[in-house]
Every structure is written in C-alpha cells, then in structure tokens.
Amino acid sequence: MNRRELIGKWELFLFALLVAVLVAGTLTSEYFLTTSNISIALAGAMPTAIVALAMMAVIVTGEIDISVGSIVGLCATAIGLTIERGASAEFAVLASMAVGLLAGALNGVVVAYGRVPSLVATLGTLALFRGVAQIVLEERGISNFPQWYQELGFGTVPYTPFPWSAIPFVVLFLIALFILHATYWGRGLFALGNNRTAADYSGIATRKYIFAAFVASGLACSIAAVVLTGYLASARSDTAIGLELNVITAVVLGGVSVFGGSGKLIAVVTAVFVLALVQNVLGLAGVTPERQQVVTGLVLIISLLAFAGPAKLRGWIAKVTSRTNTHTVAN
Amino acid sequence: MNAVVDLKNISKRFGSVEVLSNVSMELRAGRVHALAGANGAGKSTLVKIFAGVHQPDAGTIRVDGVEVTIAGTADARRQGISVIHQHPALFPDLTVAENIFVGRQPTRLGRIDWPEMRRNAGALIDRIGMKVDVDARVKDLGVAERQAVAIAAALSSEVRVLIMDEPTSAISAHELEQFFAVVERLKKEGVAILFITHFLDEIFAISDDITVLRSGKHIVTAVAADLTPASVITHMIGTATDDLFPTWPANIGKTVLSVDGLCGADGFDDISFDVRAGEIIGFFGLVGAGRSEVAEAIFGLRKTLSGSIAIDGRKQSIRSPREAIEQGISLVPEDRHEQGLVLQFPNRANTSLALLRRISDIFGRIRGEREETLAETYSRRLGVVATGIEQLTGTLSGGNQQKVLLAKWLALEPRVLILDQPTRGVDVGAKADIYRIISELASAGLAIILIGDDPDEVMAMSNRVLVFRNGRIAARFERGAFDREGMLTAAAHSPVHSLNGEAA
Amino acid sequence: MSASPSGRSIQRRERSFIERILFAREMYLVLVLLVLSAGITIVEPRFLTVYNLQQVALSASLVSIVAIGQALVIICRQIDISVGPIVAASAFISADYLVGNPTTPILFIFLIGCGVGAFLGAINAVIVAGFGIPAIVATLGTFAIFRGAIIILAEGRQISATSLPPNFVGIAELTVAGVPALVWAALLMAAFGGWMARYTRFGRNLYAIGSNPEGARLAGISEQRHIAAVFVISGVLAGLVGVLWGARFGTVHAAIAPNMHIDSILAVVLGGISIFGGSGTIAGAVIGALTIAVLQNGVLLLGVNQFWIQAIVGAAILATVVFYGHMSQRAETRRRTERRDARARQRHVQNSRASS
C-alpha cells in the first residue's frame, strides 16, 4: 500500500473535480466564465486559501486550530481601530500581523507547552478572540479605508482576471510549499504527526514545531484579515465568522489526514478552489448562502467518508501487521 | 489425571519468522506448569494462543479432551481460561472494584449493585491475600497493586485455567511471598496454572512441571523434581551458537564516554563506568533493571539528579536528544515502532531523520541528492533488502526495519553508539548481519554500549559486561572471565533463600 | 508516613490522596460558584432575589440538559459540536407544528422535538461510529448542514409567542413547590443521567471506553454501539431543549442557540470531566452549567457591557483547561515520586537482606 500513490490519485481526482465544476459552471451560467466573475470568485476565496496554507501545517502535526475565524475577526478589528484613529493603512497591516502573531502564540503556548488538547484550547480562544473583538468594536463597522487598500481586496492586476490579493497568496503559497515539502522543518512536522516519540528520539524539538505551526496559523490569519477587510471594504467584530468550517473542509477535502502526518499542499489549494467555484456556481444559480453552507458541510462529510473506505482498509492492514509486530516484539 | 487443556503440535509463523514449531503441552488441574525460555523463545505467542488472541497455523487444542478453537479473549473466558498479561489492560480512571468487574458488574433490578461489587472485589482481593483499596483508582496504584487487580479480575469469573505471563517481574520480595501463597491456594482449589517467568528460583519454588522452549521449539517437558536450575539454563540457552557471532581484533583506544555516579529521578542509582574507543560494553539485566533508563539518561531523554557524563574527559550537560546527537552520541532505541521509525516514511526519510539539519542548506532546504546518497550508502552498507530507498519502511520485514533503524543512527557518524536490544524480534539471518555490523563498527573505533537480556549475545559481543539489578550495577565481568550462571544470578532479583522469614 | 513497605500503609495513604483528587475537581467548582455568587451579591444585592435566582436557574436548566448529553459524549472520548443546530431544528419544527395544529397534546410536541433530535443524533452516530470519522470534523460538518437545513426550512420565518397556544407557553411559568417546571425537568434529566452513568452497565462502559478503548474491546464491550448510543442520546436531549426553548422564550427562529456547543462543552470542562474521556460526573456538568448561568447573570446585573460575555466565557474555558492540565501534571509527578520512594524502600530492604 503506497500512500504517495494514493494521494497522487486523490490529486488527480481533485483536478478532475475542478474541471468538472468549471464545465458545469459554464453550462449553467453565461456569466460564469466572464473575467469579472472569475476574479470575484478568486478574490472571495483568497482569505480561506491563505488560512488553509497554515491550517495544513497545524493538521499535519495532528492538532487542529478552530479559532482561525476569530483570529481573522480580531485582526480585522485591529485594522479597523488603527484606521479609525487615523493611522496609515501600512501601520494597520502591521498591527494586524502583530495581533495575529500574539493570538497564534497564545494558542501555541497553551497547546504545545500547557499540554491542553488543541480542540478545547482553540475552542476557548475561538470564544475569547471573538469576544475581545466584540468588546472593542461592539456593533460598529469601520469602512473608511483608503482607496488602494480596497483595491487590494477587490481590484485586479491590470490585464489579468487575478485580484491583487492573489499576489500575497501566491507568495505565501510558495513559502508554505517550500517549508512543508522541501525543508527539514516541514519534514519534522510530518515526522511528529506520524510518530511523536520517534521524532523526539531523533532530536526534533517537537514542542517548538507545534508552537511554530500555531504561530504560522495566527500570522496567516492576520494576512487573510487584511485581504478580507479590503474585499469587504469594512471591518466588523463579526468578520469571518465560521471561516474555520471552510478552511477545515478544504484541508480535509485536500486529502490531509486529521490524525496528522500526511497530506500535500497542492491538493489543499486545489480543494480550496474547488469549494470556491462550487459556491460561486451555486451563487450564480441563485442558491442562497444557507444552502451553500449545507453544500460545504456535505462536501466535508462526503470527502471524509470517501477517505474512510481506504482508511478502514489501511486500519485493517495495520492491525494485521501490528499483530505480527507485537508478537515478535513481545517475546 | 486428564489434562484440562491440551495443545498438540502447535505451529505459528509471522511473515518469514517461524515463532512456534510443533509445540505440545498439557495443563492439569491442581498443578502449576512453568514455561521457561529466553527472550524470543515463543512464550508470549504460546500464551496468546491459549488466550485466543492468535490462532495456530497448525496443531490442535483440546479442552477436556474435546477439540476446540479459541476464537478470542471472551471465548477463552467462556471455556474457563483466564490470562493475566504482562502489561494488563486496566482502566486507569476506574476504581479497583470496577476494573475487576468491568462489563460484568453485579446488578440488582437492572441497577449496578455497588456495595455488592465492592464486597465481591474485596473478597477477591482478600483471596489473593493482597491489601488494595477497592475504591482506589487504578491510575493511582503501584505496579504490584495493578498486578493484584489483574489477578483478581482474572479470578472474577469461574476459572479452570489461569495463565500468568511474567506476573512477578515488577513485584517486591514481600509481595512475591504473598503471590506464591495465592498460587498455592488456587492450586488447592483445582485450578490449572501456567506460569511464565524469567526467574529460575521462582520456577523451582512453585512449579510441578516445567516446559522449556528455545527459538520456538519444544525442548523439554519434565516434572520439576527431575530438573535443576543449571539444566534448565542449559535447555534455555542451548549450546552457544558461536558461528552466529563474529570475531574481530580488539583495537581499544582512549576513553570516550565516562559516566560517574549517575543517579536518575526514576529507575537507577549510582552508575559509573567508562567506554573506550573500539570497545563494546554489554549492559545485561532484566526489563526494569535500569539498563535502558541509564541509556536514555545519557541520551538526554531522562532527567538525572546527580552524577556526571563526560565525553573525551570533558563534562557535558545533555538535556535533550539534540544535544546528545551534537555530542556524537547515537541511541538505537529498543522499540523500533514506537521510538525508532516513522513507519509511514520511505527508508530514505527514516535514514535522514536525525540529521536533517546537517544535510540542509542555509534556507533549511533538505539537499535531495545528499539525502539520497546517504540513504543509498547506508542501505548498501547494512544490506537492507528493499525495492529501493523509496520503499515505505512499514512494509519491510522486522530485520530490515531494524537495519534501517541502525542506518538512521549510523548516518550521524557517532562516536558513542548505544544499542538497546538491537536484535529483538529479528530472524537469525538478520541477527548475524547485525552482529557483523556491530563488530565492524567496533573495529572502526566506535565506543559501543550493547544492552541485552540474552546472556549469550551480550557475552559474545562485549569486551566487558555490567550486570544491572534494581537500578544498580550488581556485578562487572571482564572478557575472559565471563560466567553465564554468575551473570544470571547477579541479574535475578530475589535470591530464593531470603524469601522465608522476611517480615514486613 | 511510615517507612514500612507493607501494603496496608501504602493503601491508606493513597486512598486519602485519591479522595483529595476526587474532591479537588468538583470542590474547586463549587468554591468558585460560591465565591462568584457572594461577590455578585456584595456588589449587587438584587442577585439574591427570588425572581433573579429563578432566572438564573431557568437559563442554567436549558444549557445543563444539553451539557448532560455532551458529558456522556465526552466521557467516551468523543465530542458533539452540532448540538446548537439540533436545538434550533427541534425548536423550530415542534413550534411550527404547534402553530399549524394548536390543539395537539403537549406531550406529542415533546415527542416531535425529541424525535427530531434523535434523528439528527443518529446521523452523527452513523458517521462517527459507523464510518470511524473523528467526531470533531464529523460534527463540525453536520453543524453546518443542520444549521443550513433548518434556515432553509424556516424560510426566514419567525414564530412568536402570540401564535403559540397559551398552555404551551405556560409551561415556562409553571412552578412546582416554587421551583419552575423547566428547572424540575433539568433536575430530572440530571438525576436520570447521573443514575445511568453510575448505576448501569451502559454508563460504566462509557467510562471504560473513554479510559482505555483497547481494554474495553478486550473486555467485550462494543465501542461502536456505545458511541452511536451517546450521539443519539445527545441528540434527544438537545431536541428536548429545543421544545423547552420554544416554551420559555416563545420566539423561535432558525438561528437560535448559536453558542450552544461552546456553552455545553464549557459546562462539561468546568465540571471537571476530562476532555480525554473516562472521568467526571454528570453532577459536575450540571454545576458547570449553573456556573456559566451565574456568570452571565452577574455580568448583566452588574451592568457590564454584554459584549464582554463571550470573551469571559472563552477566558474561562482556557483558564479551566490550563488549570486542570496543570493539576493532573502535578498529580502525575507526585505519583511518580511516591512510586520512586516505594521502590527505593524496596531496594533498601532487598539490599540489606542480600548483605545479611
């Protein structure tokens, strides 16, 4: 059973799915393949895509970060506040990154060093970060962003359908691709996600790696907040509520095991775009956001079930082989 | 008198390894049957066949003369066979009483009768003669108390055959005496008992019959009175198979590692020794005697309370495996699945896992060609049989996995190599390869610590042997003055003559 | 502590130690609850009025019924994120039916609500227990599906108290012995849940599975069946709360109970149930829910900005899990030290024996 090959097949499946959605979109709506529609779809997908890059790193270690939506909301709040106080947009971006860094570090400290399960820890910070955003902004929305800032979220690179926000995404994607699949740091994440004890014995500082993955998640959220506030042209305390569902759906659809230790970034990014285009096609067909949410949830469950078949098979094989092992070792 | 359980010509193989071949034995009511054998002799597999965990490939099992198959633990229990495993599966969050009756709690009107359950648990604990609070949670108990809970659980249903897999390995002398009393009592009740242990004195203290296994083969079954400890040892070890072990010219240099007065927070005390370049030091002892704990402390995995570790005469404080690796120490851990390998990785990635930083450029990028060269080189040097360096390590045989594990730690080019039971669970061919590799490494000037519980292996491979017992070095032997029985005696934890008259 | 290595002395010491641990968790919470209530009362004496205490008990009762289900789920090492949408679905469907058929017996309405909950819980059960999907992602998915589905079903409608028959809305005003009926319902559920957890094999098996799944299998306990059962139970209890929600608030729409997953998990965690499964009590979860209600009531009474509530809840979760984590780590170190001492004594005895 060669896992590399399996994921290779999964990627092919995702590419085929992407093509199918493109075809379906073209057939159902004449607006689908227009430049403006594609750029709107891409611009809308960027926050999810950016956060998914770091979420993959977190899930590869076998942890999870469900506070991402709230971190984006908190960063958006920081952006709104600084701009409201008359600071430059550049400063607002820095403020957002600082807030994201701190939020990610808090998650990382609690999970990696406080030995709290990431599920509960980030469920707690999900409420905490959103709560702080609400305390600060209450029900206000801030929208007096400078023109270029809004361009970042909505405008397109001249002569292309690509939104400006695709540039930070591509840069971050390349960095994440490099780190996860080419460096010793990424290799360490995969190693500890598969077998944390063996990683410890190999001199890998596993706690630091987990901490760093959560910090990366916080930072990615802060960039996503910049893109998203530009796209929405406003910052509110409820910005990006429920984002974690989209992100985790994309990562799981991308074939990353929620138990850690396996996955490919290219597949995750493909999955993000599949989801975004599905939602776009549904939107064009007049399907309400609520129905789109149902579709997202269904896609999550169905992709999990699609994995459960092979996983059950894998589990069975593992059981048979481990029986051999326990046997030979136990003697 | 007829046998309660009767195994005939049982064989079992796992992959390429034949673990049991043609083993027969009978358990009779009211008799204690001891099963002896070195590590890897097949004792645990035989126990698992009794328990229904494994099904034999060949041979028959009869209960009361009727041929049966034992389909699983529950099935074994229904047939009156209870097994106490070496590491019993207890529920740490539940109380002692609940652990004893889990899934079978006494009920009254559909409601668990706690007072009744606690009374019954108390009675079972009393029957064993131990003193354990039935309301205590198992996670708060010591090892011996957990063992008592496991025995009580095994006795909670009607038992005709009780199988105990090394029940005494973690209990103190005083508790041992109580334990023997329990066995005597069960014997009188007519229970057939199979008793597996490393300790010969215990075998002769309570057994009626003795069966010895060696490398999965049935060597002898006899009444205890017809055997002596010395003859059992000979049966267990056999005549030394010298051709398995290589010989090499000793080329001993300066002291590389010296450990002085090392005390650990958990498991060892006052450990001092030196290892010189080109020398192999054997650590002989039983599980839990402190040998692996000392190795882990040197490797920065365990805290030490006092004492010092010096490399080339300079004292070093090693607080993590990373620092140990930087000092040129490699530890090949005993459990290659848990501690050693990432089974989902290809051999290439396992070989390079501990030295990724060294083969990465300043951006942290792993240099692919260096990684591949490294994996190819060590794969060839160690003779790993695989489709290539991209084969997933989990799909290799045990012996080849062990070679990949060795490759991982040799690729670091260490100066001190610690091997914790490097031939555990590998077949004879791979064993010979691993011994040859170790001897070559010693010739090349590595300082080597070889941890083992096979006295033959340790004696054949070491220049000196330290025997561990209860966390201390109990005896030291130099090559030329090795004494197999002396080592076994030094490692055995409870001289039988001191048992009597021991007052609490 | 005596130096004797005899079993009895070790046993007695460890028993008191266990008692300390056992009590530490729930005592800690009761203490927090008392201090919190006292603090609020000192600043704002209105807290101790009968009316206010009734309000606190009412809001605690809804959360605590959901928390009982959540507690059973968490005890066997799972989690249910989808409880909020189940409450909403049950509330809307049952209230909508009642509006269309005002003469329906109230009992039948409860059956509808619980049936909706059982159905949705069964979907979770199939995905988690049947296919072996991790509960966290599975119920995150059904969380979205259930909520979306009920929003679609509701078509933006809102059911208000005026369109519901008075005998239904009257349930919330009903008191027995001065205690609101809703509170009685919660107490009844708590008593039943607590009884089940402690006095049935089913309940004890949940602890066994949460404590050591492999061991439970060896003991012949079907992990799948038990996990499926707790998700259905959690669904039924959430469904019950949905009906009670309609009775209490009168206003029902598709977006109610948005934070129920957080509140119920917080109640469970506050109540000393280990998120790793295997330990904790139903009573703890109920006290946890009560603590949240007191906290929220206090925030309102003291005139603290309502926007603070969520941040306080989040901080409370973090503080609790870090505190419990720290406590169990300390207990672990302590046990290790004690075991080492015991071993050292053994060694001493044996060495002296060997030399004699």
Side-chain angles (χ1 to χ4, degrees):
Chain A
M1 189 96 183
N2 190 327
R3 178 131 85 194
R4 282 178 167 237
E5 196 189 316
L6 190 91
I7 285 182
K9 275 183 197 153
W10 189 255
E11 282 173 283
L12 278 182
F13 167 70
L14 285 175
F15 284 132
L17 203 61
L18 192 62
V19 173
V21 175
L22 284 171
V23 171
T26 317
L27 292 179
T28 50
S29 167
E30 53 187 304
Y31 297 108
F32 180 72
L33 264 192
T34 59
T35 325
S36 66
N37 181 55
I38 291 294
S39 57
I40 286 172
L42 288 179
M46 282 312 144
T48 308
I50 291 170
V51 176
L53 298 176
M55 181 68 88
M56 157 131 184
V58 173
I59 293 186
V60 159
T61 67
E63 305 289 345
I64 198 161
D65 184 355
I66 45 180
S67 69
V68 286
S70 296
I71 299 182
V72 173
L74 191 59
C75 291
T77 303
I79 293 167
L81 267 197
T82 44
I83 286 191
E84 194 183 45
R85 301 273 154 94
S88 69
E90 290 86 347
F91 184 80
V93 172
L94 285 180
S96 171
M97 289 174 70
V99 168
L101 187 84
L102 284 177
L106 177 61
N107 281 336
V109 164
V110 173
V111 174
Y113 297 94
R115 301 216 184 145
V116 173
S118 55
L119 170 62
V120 217
T122 57
L123 195 67
T125 54
L126 175 139
L128 177 65
F129 297 151
R130 185 66 68 189
V132 172
Q134 285 175 349
I135 291 170
V136 175
L137 274 190
E138 302 191 344
E139 279 166 337
R140 279 179 301 146
I142 293 160
S143 52
N144 51 333
F145 295 116
Q147 189 57 38
W148 69 265
Y149 188 89
Q150 297 186 28
E151 269 295 300
L152 188 70
F154 219 78
T156 53
V157 181
Y159 309 116
T160 69
F162 300 112
W164 283 108
S165 55
I167 292 176
F169 164 71
V170 169
V171 171
L172 289 175
F173 168 66
L174 292 176
I175 293 174
L177 194 65
F178 177 71
I179 291 178
L180 279 172
H181 294 303
T183 65
Y184 70 82
W185 198 86
R187 185 73 65 77
L189 288 178
F190 280 92
L192 85 90
N194 275 310
N195 185 344
R196 190 163 172 179
T197 313
D200 277 327
Y201 271 75
S202 305
I204 294 169
T206 50
R207 288 185 182 197
K208 270 187 209 155
Y209 278 60
I210 291 172
F211 174 76
F214 277 98
V215 170
S217 174
L219 271 179
C221 290
S222 70
I223 308 288
V226 172
V227 171
L228 188 61
T229 48
Y231 178 74
L232 300 171
S234 84
R236 298 173 50 87
S237 67
D238 64 356
T239 304
I241 239 171
L243 181 74
E244 63 278 358
L245 175 70
N246 262 325
V247 173
I248 294 171
T249 305
V251 174
V252 171
L253 179 63
V256 179
S257 159
V258 280
F259 298 112
S262 79
K264 283 194 169 184
L265 194 64
I266 187 82
V268 170
V269 171
T270 314
V272 169
F273 291 119
V274 168
L275 279 177
L277 289 180
V278 166
Q279 285 172 355
N280 179 264
V281 171
L282 292 174
L284 286 178
V287 176
T288 58
E290 292 77 37
R291 284 171 205 263
Q292 293 178 27
Q293 188 189 4
V294 174
V295 172
T296 309
L298 280 174
V299 168
L300 175 63
I301 297 290
I302 290 168
S303 55
L304 282 167
L305 294 186
F307 262 95
K312 276 202 164 166
L313 202 66
R314 266 205 297 272
W316 178 74
I317 289 169
K319 211 187 275 173
V320 173
T321 46
S322 78
R323 223 175 245 183
T324 326
N325 302 332
T326 37
H327 155 76
T328 37
V329 171
N331 260 297
Chain B
M1 188 166 33
N2 283 327
V4 184
V5 187
D6 178 11
L7 264 56
K8 271 242 151 47
N9 304 329
I10 297 290
S11 295
K12 178 77 186 168
R13 57 191 309 136
F14 291 104
S16 59
V17 190
E18 178 150 57
V19 194
L20 288 177
S21 79
N22 245 352
V23 175
S24 302
M25 77 184 304
E26 305 178 343
L27 301 181
R28 289 163 186 278
R31 285 180 82 83
V32 177
H33 198 133
L35 183 59
N39 269 340
K43 297 179 305 232
S44 293
T45 310
L46 196 62
V47 167
K48 284 178 182 158
I49 284 174
F50 271 113
V53 175
H54 292 324
Q55 305 303 321
D57 296 332
T60 56
I61 305 171
R62 279 174 219 278
V63 175
D64 293 326
V66 182
E67 191 171 331
V68 295
T69 52
I70 303 173
T73 334
D75 195 26
R77 249 202 133 96
R78 229 167 302 152
Q79 311 200 25
I81 303 172
S82 262
V83 182
I84 300 160
H85 292 285
Q86 204 175 344
H87 304 290
L90 297 174
F91 303 92
D93 300 301
L94 304 187
T95 67
V96 167
E98 282 195 88
N99 265 278
I100 293 173
F101 289 102
V102 69
R104 293 171 289 109
Q105 296 93 337
T107 54
R108 204 175 51 193
L109 306 171
R111 166 188 193 278
I112 290 178
D113 192 344
W114 280 83
E116 172 77 7
M117 182 160 83
R118 294 177 60 249
R119 256 196 312 278
N120 292 353
L124 280 168
I125 295 279
D126 285 347
R127 182 171 158 200
I128 301 172
M130 292 283 286
K131 293 199 171 57
V132 182
D133 182 354
V134 294
D135 294 324
R137 294 197 189 202
V138 163
K139 67 177 171 194
D140 298 312
L141 298 183
V143 190
E145 289 159 316
R146 286 177 191 224
Q147 201 70 49
V149 175
I151 295 176
L155 297 178
S156 65
S157 60
E158 201 196 325
V159 176
R160 300 171 56 219
V161 179
L162 183 62
I163 295 167
M164 297 186 283
D165 192 359
E166 298 196 31
T168 57
S169 59
I171 67 181
S172 71
H174 170 71
E175 291 159 337
L176 188 64
E177 196 185 0
Q178 293 183 332
F179 173 77
F180 284 167
V182 176
V183 174
E184 283 299 330
R185 224 172 301 176
L186 296 174
K187 220 171 107 169
K188 286 212 185 76
E189 292 174 18
V191 178
I193 294 169
L194 178 65
F195 179 63
I196 291 115
T197 180
H198 273 307
F199 305 120
L200 293 177
D201 47 0
E202 292 177 6
I203 291 181
F204 284 95
I206 60 166
S207 314
D208 302 298
D209 308 296
I210 298 172
T211 290
V212 180
L213 296 183
R214 185 172 72 233
S215 313
K217 293 195 179 60
H218 188 178
I219 302 301
V220 69
T221 296
V223 176
D226 294 344
L227 292 168
T228 64
S231 67
V232 170
I233 288 179
T234 314
H235 285 308
M236 277 169 66
I237 296 165
T239 48
T241 44
D242 286 326
D243 50 334
L244 198 60
F245 300 106
T247 51
W248 68 97
N251 175 22
I252 291 172
K254 278 196 206 143
T255 299
V256 179
L257 170 73
S258 74
V259 171
D260 187 34
L262 206 62
C263 290
D266 203 359
F268 57 91
D269 259 333
D270 195 21
I271 304 294
S272 303
F273 63 88
D274 290 342
V275 194
R276 291 168 292 178
E279 187 180 38
I280 302 179
I281 300 267
F283 279 14
F284 178 71
L286 303 166
V287 178
R291 30 166 232 198
S292 300
E293 288 80 356
V294 170
E296 287 176 0
I298 295 171
F299 197 60
L301 281 162
R302 270 174 198 270
K303 279 194 182 137
T304 52
L305 298 178
S306 59
S308 67
I309 298 168
I311 307 279
D312 293 329
R314 222 168 307 139
K315 280 193 184 167
Q316 303 288 352
S317 92
I318 296 170
R319 285 160 305 185
S320 69
R322 206 178 137 189
E323 290 175 358
I325 290 169
E326 277 163 13
Q327 294 296 331
I329 303 173
S330 276
L331 168 67
V332 179
E334 68 176 304
D335 186 337
R336 62 174 172 267
H337 292 140
E338 273 290 308
Q339 305 158 335
L341 297 167
V342 179
L343 294 175
Q344 298 85 345
F345 273 8
N347 296 343
R348 167 181 51 78
N350 267 309
T351 310
S352 63
L353 190 58
L355 47 60
L356 287 171
R357 272 161 198 265
R358 281 192 212 164
I359 56 165
S360 299
D361 61 22
I362 50 163
F363 302 110
R365 187 181 67 91
I366 301 168
R367 295 196 181 112
E369 69 294 349
R370 281 189 64 176
E371 188 185 21
E372 280 166 25
T373 320
L374 197 84
E376 294 281 5
T377 311
Y378 280 92
S379 190
R380 215 171 315 123
R381 213 174 122 189
L382 297 180
V384 176
V385 181
T387 56
I389 56 171
E390 293 302 325
Q391 183 173 357
L392 297 188
T393 306
T395 61
L396 297 177
S397 73
N400 280 304
Q401 287 181 1
Q402 193 68 24
K403 286 181 189 172
V404 173
L405 182 60
L406 271 173
K408 169 181 170 183
W409 291 106
L410 292 181
L412 282 162
E413 297 180 344
R415 306 196 46 222
V416 178
L417 178 64
I418 306 172
L419 300 154
D420 199 346
Q421 303 176 59
T423 59
R424 191 172 168 183
V426 305
D427 58 65
V428 178
K431 256 187 195 177
D433 284 349
I434 290 169
Y435 293 138
R436 178 182 50 76
I437 294 157
I438 295 173
S439 68
E440 284 168 10
L441 294 169
S443 309
L446 247 74
I448 297 174
I449 297 174
L450 174 67
I451 301 172
D453 45 15
D454 174 357
D456 258 343
E457 173 181 301
V458 174
M459 285 192 301
M461 296 301 298
S462 310
N463 301 91
R464 276 187 292 151
V465 174
L466 309 183
V467 180
F468 281 74
R469 187 185 67 208
N470 286 329
R472 286 170 182 272
I473 297 177
R476 292 166 196 258
F477 295 89
E478 292 286 335
R479 193 171 193 94
F482 284 163
D483 164 12
R484 185 186 288 147
E485 273 193 60
M487 273 167 56
L488 286 169
T489 315
H493 73 158
S494 49
V496 74
H497 52 82
S498 68
L499 276 176
N500 306 322
E502 161 68 20
Chain C
M1 199 194 303
S2 99
S4 147
S6 88
R8 193 174 282 279
S9 74
I10 290 169
Q11 167 214 333
R12 201 172 299 144
R13 191 189 67 238
E14 291 204 354
R15 178 198 267 174
S16 68
F17 176 58
I18 291 154
E19 279 169 358
R20 277 209 304 280
I21 287 207
L22 208 116
F23 280 90
R25 284 205 158 182
E26 274 139 33
M27 279 307 287
Y28 155 78
L29 188 61
V30 171
L31 216 69
V32 167
L33 190 56
L34 288 178
V35 170
L36 196 66
S37 308
I40 297 169
T41 314
I42 290 168
V43 184
E44 181 51 83
R46 270 186 304 161
F47 177 79
L48 270 191
T49 57
V50 173
Y51 173 77
N52 188 58
L53 288 181
Q54 271 189 2
Q55 291 306 307
V56 171
L58 279 174
S59 48
S61 56
L62 292 183
V63 174
S64 63
I65 296 175
V66 177
I68 291 164
Q70 188 74 266
L72 295 172
V73 172
I74 289 181
I75 282 170
C76 72
R77 249 188 220 186
Q78 308 296 317
I79 198 156
D80 188 352
I81 308 274
S82 69
V83 284
I86 297 181
V87 169
S90 154
F92 190 84
I93 293 171
S94 59
D96 195 38
Y97 185 85
L98 194 58
V99 171
N101 312 276
T103 56
T104 318
I106 298 296
L107 186 67
F108 189 68
I109 296 303
F110 276 98
L111 280 181
I112 291 177
C114 292
V116 168
F119 175 68
L120 298 180
I123 292 176
N124 284 333
V126 168
I127 298 172
V128 177
F131 285 87
I133 307 289
I136 167 72
V137 277
T139 57
L140 196 65
T142 54
F143 171 83
I145 297 173
F146 297 166
R147 181 68 78 185
I150 193 64
I151 289 173
I152 294 166
L153 200 76
E155 297 167 320
R157 280 179 301 143
Q158 176 167 329
I159 294 161
S160 57
T162 47
S163 55
L164 288 167
N167 62 336
F168 180 68
V169 185
I171 297 173
E173 262 97 62
L174 240 143
T175 60
V176 179
V179 177
L182 257 59
V183 177
W184 280 115
L187 288 175
L188 199 71
M189 287 299 131
F192 180 69
W195 177 82
M196 192 171 71
R198 178 149 179 90
Y199 287 107
T200 64
R201 279 191 191 161
F202 171 78
R204 298 322 291 174
N205 288 350
L206 297 182
Y207 286 87
I209 290 168
S211 187
N212 179 354
E214 184 61 34
R217 261 193 297 273
L218 280 178
I221 298 167
S222 160
E223 200 185 358
Q224 272 189 334
R225 231 179 287 163
H226 285 81
I227 290 175
V230 289
F231 275 104
V232 174
I233 293 173
S234 172
V236 169
L237 290 174
L240 173 65
V241 169
V243 181
L244 295 175
W245 190 291
R248 175 166 187 223
F249 296 106
T251 316
V252 173
H253 54 90
I256 60 166
N259 287 324
M260 192 52 99
H261 57 305
I262 295 181
D263 287 348
S264 64
I265 294 170
L266 174 59
V268 165
V269 172
L270 271 179
I273 293 171
S274 162
I275 199 76
F276 294 116
S279 74
T281 62
I282 300 298
V286 174
I287 302 172
L290 188 60
T291 312
I292 301 174
V294 169
L295 198 69
Q296 290 177 337
N297 181 265
V299 169
L300 285 177
L301 273 186
L302 302 184
V304 179
N305 189 327
Q306 47 148 334
F307 292 109
W308 279 77
I309 292 178
Q310 199 170 13
I312 291 173
V313 166
I317 295 188
L318 268 196
T320 317
V321 288
V322 170
F323 173 79
Y324 283 150
H326 177 72
M327 236 175 53
S328 59
Q329 242 172 59
R330 255 189 25 195
E332 177 58 31
T333 325
R334 191 168 200 155
R335 269 198 298 279
R336 229 183 270 158
T337 320
E338 288 189 359
R339 265 183 229 152
R340 190 180 73 230
D341 292 349
R343 254 203 297 277
R345 277 199 306 275
Q346 264 174 32
R347 252 195 321 261
H348 178 72
V349 171
Q350 279 167 20
N351 289 343
S352 61
R353 204 192 310 139
S355 60
S356 66

